[in-house]
Amino acid sequence: MAKQWREIYNEWEKAVAPGLQQFAASDGFRDFMAASAKVSSAFAAEFERTSRRWLHFWNLPAATDVRKLRQQVAAVDRELKGLKNLVFDVVAVVPAEAAPATNGKASAVSKPAAPKATASKTSTSKTSASKATASKATAKKPAAQKPAAAVEKS
Amino acid sequence: MSATTLVKPKAAGANGESSERTAEVPNPLAPFSEMWETGMRRWWNLTRHVMGIDRAPVGQTPRDAVWSNGKAVLYRYRSENPTVRPPLLLVMSLVSRSFILDLQPGNSFIERLVAEGFDVFLLDWGVPDEEEANNTLETYCDELLPQAVAKVNQMGGDNGVTVFGYCYGGLLTLLYAAGHPDDPIRNVVVMATPVDFTKMPTVMTGVGSDGIDPAHLMDASGNVPAESVRASFTLLTPTSDLSTVMDFWEHLDDDKFLSSYQAMTSWTRNHIPFPGATMVQTVEMFIEGNGFMTGDLMLGGRKLDLADIKAPFLNVIAERDHIVPPESTYGLDKLVGSKDATEMRLPAGHVGLIVGNGARKRSIPSMIGWMVEHSDIAK
């Protein structure tokens, strides 16, 4: 008895599924999806515009403002990362003796570890020195499988 | 409980001694008892499923985060004695969660790799939001992947790295390997990776100038929302969700089934947003341009050529894959420049390559066999 309903469903699915799949893959359905995506996107944009105006009227920030700020922070972050990589490239090119305060390791370590070595020169990074030491240790012990004490961030 | 019960009535023997004999007397209440037990189990399983009690845990293999950049995190799986060199870096897709590679104890690709002596790393891209909306293919293939590979190489003792990409992660792996031929790549493995986009299902390629405008798919964060990603997969097999519910109802009294069901559905119903800028690039470069097949691949202002991939290469194809049909991946071994390129066709689905009994018995051992063959084994 318990299987009977399942058999009925299986038969139904066998009959219906190919047609549904064909429909979902058809040009007509794609056009319908394109049109509905356009409409819903336009509706969402209009709603956002209206609610933002209303909130701004009362001098309140809207979600779009927060989103814009987050995007700006992300852009600054990306630029900072790019600059860090650039600084590293310069440090890597300069011979170890010529590069001041990098304790001669910067040119020896691989690329991703470099921003860390560069950061150790600055006073803003509190943990960079210990991280650099940890990195040195892991470089010497490649098969070490102990839990990482700290996550290295590039 | 059985339908009959053994009873031991006492009977007097012919010589007056009491002797015992056993006889099977049917218990008239047994069928009801059985129904009661099954019903209670179903009710309890339904309750704990709906209430979220005692959910099946996923991603249980012990690991440590060893590097991160933004939301991208590199994990290293703990291993007592990794014997296979070089280390293995798993590159996940951008649209799904990485725990599918480590689903459940006893049903985990990563657990098996660790048990076989691999030093396993996983690059998890995280869940993108506004900050990642402008991430492009260059962000992944020219920035994050090279950094992660360098880190893995450094931690693995400068033996090079086997880079293993799954699904869209395979596409990223191909772009990275083609664009960075001087990086310490020892082997390249791609699994269920789309190459010829003209052979992809229409539902997956219905975005672009002839179909849905990518801009209309994006939400306010600038990404394609996870629901849209999921909907596109659902449309490939429109009745699959209903069938899953039917399976659930049919096997509700089976605790083991419920555990697997919860683990699997927590993956299939839990996609992640697709970064908007990457989406636009994917549409232009692959869906409209079919870049891998035409050779028209531009990344970071330079032309890429798959022929620049010289490392030993394995293309794993799932013959029953409905998301990335096998026809869309055939012939990749001919496009790369490696002299040691293999195409491995396995009788599995997109996820069945790494999850389930078939994976445990066939797919995973086959892939491990190839990787071990192309690695060094430490004594």
Side-chain angles (χ1 to χ4, degrees), chain B residues 58-317:
Chain B
V58 290
Q60 294 292 289
T61 308
R63 64 182 185 179
D64 303 295
V66 292
W67 170 89
S68 74
N69 187 343
K71 290 197 179 68
V73 181
L74 179 68
Y75 293 100
R76 186 185 204 181
Y77 286 84
R78 289 182 208 166
S79 169
E80 290 299 313
N81 184 26
T83 51
V84 182
R85 290 279 183 274
L88 174 63
L89 172 64
L90 302 172
V91 181
M92 197 47 203
S93 167
L94 286 175
V95 293
S96 50
R97 294 184 189 264
S98 61
F99 69 77
I100 190 65
L101 299 171
D102 182 25
L103 195 62
Q104 284 185 297
N107 190 15
S108 159
F109 181 45
I110 288 174
E111 183 190 56
R112 181 76 174 270
L113 288 168
V114 171
E116 296 283 345
F118 284 87
D119 189 3
V120 184
F121 292 77
L122 169 70
L123 182 55
D124 187 332
W125 303 113
V127 182
D129 55 25
E130 289 89 346
E131 289 177 37
E132 282 75 29
N134 291 319
N135 277 8
T136 57
L137 286 169
E138 284 83 357
T139 314
Y140 297 104
C141 303
D142 283 346
E143 286 177 36
L144 299 173
L145 256 168
Q147 290 171 7
V149 167
K151 182 69 187 168
V152 172
N153 184 44
Q154 178 210 339
M155 293 187 82
D158 286 326
N159 285 309
V161 178
T162 295
V163 188
F164 188 121
Y166 176 38
C167 191
Y168 198 90
L171 185 146
L172 298 177
T173 300
L174 288 174
L175 291 177
Y176 158 67
H180 298 261
D182 297 329
D183 274 19
I185 306 169
R186 180 85 173 265
N187 303 302
V188 178
V189 183
V190 292
M191 180 169 75
T193 296
V195 179
D196 185 351
F197 277 73
T198 59
K199 307 272 171 57
M200 286 288 280
T202 322
V203 173
M204 308 296 280
T205 55
V207 188
S209 53
D210 293 337
I212 304 169
D213 185 342
H216 293 151
L217 279 179
M218 291 171 206
D219 62 11
S221 73
N223 298 313
V224 179
E227 299 79 41
S228 301
V229 174
R230 191 183 163 229
S232 66
F233 286 115
T234 306
L235 282 172
L236 289 171
T237 48
T239 53
S240 61
D241 274 4
L242 191 55
S243 297
T244 311
V245 174
M246 294 294 172
D247 286 339
F248 169 72
W249 191 250
E250 189 180 358
H251 302 287
L252 193 52
D253 55 326
D254 184 345
D255 294 350
K256 212 172 166 186
F257 171 85
L258 184 69
S259 172
S260 315
Y261 172 86
Q262 286 181 335
M264 209 47 223
T265 50
S266 67
W267 185 75
T268 54
R269 294 182 181 174
N270 206 357
H271 286 281
I272 54 176
F274 193 62
T278 311
M279 174 71 182
V280 172
Q281 237 178 335
T282 304
V283 170
E284 285 170 3
M285 202 188 290
F286 297 109
I287 294 178
E288 291 175 349
N290 203 17
F292 284 135
M293 301 308 287
T294 59
D296 190 16
L297 288 172
M298 293 293 286
L299 198 72
R302 65 197 197 282
K303 196 168 166 57
L304 297 191
D305 191 350
L306 288 180
D308 288 333
I309 301 177
K310 307 280 189 204
F313 183 86
L314 174 65
N315 180 25
V316 183
I317 299 170

Side-chain angles (χ1 to χ4, degrees), chain B residues 1-16:
Chain B
M1 189 178 278
S2 74
T4 55
T5 311
L6 282 177
V7 290
K8 293 181 176 179
K10 281 188 178 176
N15 54 3

Side-chain angles (χ1 to χ4, degrees), chain A residues 42-65 67, chain B residues 220:
Chain A
F43 179 78
E46 187 53 44
F47 177 78
E48 198 171 292
R49 203 174 301 127
T50 311
S51 59
R52 188 181 60 230
R53 276 187 197 150
W54 182 247
L55 286 164
H56 283 180
F57 177 77
W58 295 102
N59 201 24
L60 290 168
T64 34
D65 300 323
R67 222 172 278 132

